[in-house]
Amino acid sequence: QRGRPMEDVGEMVRRFDRNGDGAIDREELPGPMQGRFEELDTDGDGRISTEELERSPAFQRSDRDRR
């Protein structure tokens, strides 16, 4: 579903976070999304946190587009 609301970021993390550490590792992302891993992992720690997703331009753009 396109243009998911910001409150669904946590849901997305839970869906992909197979090891339960509260973040998404590269291996946990579906293949097509792995190409965007570095863009989303803004602090370079090898994990994508809920906060990083909330700040990502893709989620901010989706939120603006719904208005």
Side-chain angles (χ1 to χ4, degrees):
Q1 176 179 338
R2 297 187 58 122
R4 295 183 64 99
M6 291 295 286
E7 57 267 19
D8 285 345
V9 170
E11 178 185 320
M12 180 181 170
V13 170
R14 286 188 296 278
R15 185 169 14 121
F16 291 121
D17 180 23
R18 293 188 307 257
N19 67 6
D21 68 353
I24 303 170
D25 302 328
R26 180 186 295 273
E27 307 79 45
E28 294 173 326
L29 279 177
M33 293 178 68
Q34 288 186 7
R36 297 191 62 201
F37 187 84
E38 283 80 15
E39 174 189 346
L40 296 170
D41 179 24
T42 57
D43 65 7
D45 68 351
R47 303 170 40 196
I48 302 169
S49 66
T50 302
E51 292 80 16
E52 287 171 314
L53 284 174
E54 288 172 346
R55 290 190 308 260
S56 80
F59 276 93
Q60 292 174 5
R61 184 172 45 252
S62 294
D63 188 47
R64 274 196 315 266
D65 291 346
R66 288 190 351 264
R67 295 182 192 162

